Amino acid sequence: MTDKPTMTTTSGAPVGDNQNSLSAGAHGPLLLQDFQLLEKLAHQNRERIPERTVHAKGSAAYGVLRITGDISRFTTADALQPGRSTETFLRFSTVAGERGAADAERDVRGFALRMYTGQGNWDIVGNNTPVFFVRDPLKFPDFIHTQKRHPKTNMRSPTAMWDFWSQSPESLHQVTILMSDRGLPQSYRHIDGFGSHTYSFINAANQRFWVKFHFKTRQGIANWTNAEGANVIAADRESHQRDLFEAIEQGNFPKWTFSVQVMPEADADKHWYNPFDLTKVWPHADYPLIEVGELELNRNPENYFAEVEQAALSPANVVPGIGHSPDKMLQARVFSYGDAHRYRVGINSHQLPVNKPRTAVHTYNADGAMSAGGHSNPDAYYEPNSFGGATDNAKFVEPPLALSGDAARYNHRIGNDDYRQPGDLFRLMSADQQRQLMDNIAAAMDGVPVFIIKRQVEHFYRCDPAYGLGIASRMKVSLDPVAAAE
């Protein structure tokens, strides 16, 4: 009998074990991060009932990731070995706005990078910020509701946004970034990108390291003021799309320096901050940036709908040498992104050219709407089989991750310092940047009920007294420093 091919996920990554689900102990519950199980079950549920929905506005381009550094001691990932060059696809987006929204609006920018590696697609789905508004995925739908339209007025609601944020102090770090000058970039070329979540590296000795991904723009950070942004929108609602497309067409290829922060697995419990908390950063003094290579964008898509609107990136798409972490938001996104694509584009979105791995795919997912794959070996349409079908390969199994604790709903705000890092960020700003930040917050709070403003101002005060007092003064509300400090 000829050698059997290695079974893969739909993203082309090899499967290490197709017989056993991922669980917390031999008799424990299953884990949400078992994306292989979720992919199989979700695909089966949709083999006969395809669904589709719309998606946020974005821009994208193809390029290359070149590795110039050596981090082989941390990871076996083929695409990260010295000298490698890997084809990439990078989709930018505004997060809250609809497809018709203007590009030059104050918002977080999505930074979703796909690498078409020799071992399947590897996706890093992040933002232009290293943190996010919430740390528990149970609150993600609630947060997103505040960013969308009010069900009665059909308009965006500043009251909803600040009401949610003022009762969710973990949002302070991201809110401070969003309301700073970096909340309104001049173009996609002038933003940094972050994996934001904590991922894992696995090396040749089967050792695990925690890792964060950073992409620093070589074009420099450039931002608009609110007034400048309004003028841009008045003249051009597609300013980011136009800038990116025209720069690449003219041969002015944008570039980013790719770096990582690496933490030994055993260090996870050694700091005041939780390294798996999406509202926190790892201080560079603890884990300095290690430069790995360069990301360049050098080719525009030929068809926007086919290649950008139908792009379906997911943090579930990892490759050997790259893994996930106990980051709760990441674990939920491992499921929710793929599920959104199955709803929006269809169960076979991975067969579209922009999503198709550059390596062979051997999976037992079957049929569904718009299937173009078929069965290369029609007798082997289930697993295990006796007809030469693809099988799992134990060499791709990740090392076990030790877990402990009772199954419960833990209050993630108890004992969590949500004020230190946004306060540190405020103190790092120049006087002019602090002024812009506080002016922007005051403008964004216009019309919000006073009791919500006061509640939010107290949070700012706990970050830094000058921060809280500056907002209170602008909003003409009283602030009791004693109460605010409690």
Side-chain angles (χ1 to χ4, degrees), residues 16 22 33 35 200-202 206 208 318-325 394-401:
L22 190 61
Q33 72 184 61
F35 62 91
S200 60
F201 276 160
I202 310 295
N206 221 26
R208 178 182 283 107
V318 293
V319 293
I322 308 290
H324 299 106
S325 81
K395 76 176 185 180
F396 297 110
V397 175
E398 288 189 8
L401 176 63

Side-chain angles (χ1 to χ4, degrees), residues 42-327:
H43 188 105
Q44 181 188 35
N45 289 343
R46 292 163 173 80
E47 286 180 0
R48 299 292 178 267
I49 308 175
E51 295 181 306
R52 172 187 171 83
T53 190
V54 299
H55 193 256
K57 183 181 183 182
S59 304
Y62 295 93
V64 60
L65 180 69
R66 303 183 183 95
I67 304 302
T68 55
D70 186 354
I71 56 171
S72 58
R73 64 192 182 278
F74 300 124
T75 178
T76 59
D78 182 73
L80 295 181
Q81 300 311 302
R84 292 288 196 276
S85 291
T86 301
E87 180 189 3
T88 64
F89 174 86
L90 177 55
R91 184 178 187 274
F92 303 95
S93 63
T94 50
V95 175
E98 300 107 341
R99 283 192 62 193
D103 287 347
E105 293 182 347
R106 183 169 298 279
D107 199 354
V108 177
R109 264 59 178 180
F111 192 97
L113 176 65
R114 164 165 292 158
M115 288 141 284
Y116 300 97
T117 84
Q119 293 183 302
N121 290 350
W122 171 30
D123 296 347
I124 299 176
V125 183
N127 291 316
N128 69 322
T129 62
V131 295
F132 196 63
F133 296 93
V134 294
R135 68 167 68 91
D136 192 307
L138 201 62
K139 302 311 300 172
F140 183 73
D142 296 303
F143 164 67
I144 292 300
H145 289 165
T146 74
Q147 304 299 297
K148 299 301 181 181
R149 295 178 181 269
H150 190 281
K152 183 175 182 178
T153 67
N154 195 39
M155 294 184 289
R156 298 284 295 277
S157 172
T159 295
M161 286 188 282
W162 288 105
D163 187 33
F164 180 88
W165 288 338
S166 68
Q167 298 182 83
S168 308
E170 66 271 20
S171 68
L172 281 163
H173 201 166
Q174 179 76 309
V175 168
T176 299
I177 298 173
L178 174 63
M179 294 297 165
S180 74
D181 54 353
R182 294 202 180 197
L184 189 45
Q186 292 186 10
S187 81
Y188 288 132
R189 293 184 301 119
H190 294 91
I191 64 172
D192 291 338
F194 300 89
S196 302
H197 295 288
T198 299
Y199 291 84
S200 60
F201 276 160
I202 310 295
N203 68 11
N206 221 26
Q207 296 171 312
R208 178 182 283 107
F209 299 85
W210 306 121
V211 61
K212 283 187 176 289
F213 300 111
H214 299 250
F215 297 86
K216 297 292 186 181
T217 177
R218 292 186 180 174
Q219 290 68 241
I221 296 292
N223 307 299
W224 299 121
T225 64
N226 283 347
E228 290 169 335
N231 289 334
V232 170
I233 292 172
D236 185 2
R237 295 180 64 81
E238 323 302 332
S239 55
H240 285 16
Q241 167 71 14
R242 189 181 313 281
D243 176 89
L244 180 66
F245 182 86
E246 292 182 350
I248 293 175
E249 287 295 291
Q250 295 164 6
N252 182 18
F253 301 145
K255 297 180 180 179
W256 287 259
T257 298
F258 172 41
S259 301
V260 295
Q261 287 179 286
V262 178
M263 176 188 295
E265 183 176 5
D267 278 16
D269 297 324
K270 293 183 176 179
H271 303 284
W272 69 266
Y273 55 90
N274 174 4
F276 310 119
D277 181 348
L278 186 56
T279 68
K280 301 290 190 295
V281 297
W282 296 359
H284 290 193
D286 293 343
Y287 302 99
L289 291 179
I290 302 171
E291 187 170 326
V292 182
E294 170 190 272
L295 172 65
E296 175 186 274
L297 299 181
N298 52 31
R299 178 167 65 90
N300 282 312
E302 291 298 318
N303 184 284
Y304 181 89
F305 180 83
E307 300 172 79
V308 182
E309 186 61 19
Q310 294 191 116
L313 288 81
S314 169
N317 294 339
V318 293
V319 293
I322 308 290
H324 299 106
S325 81
D327 180 338

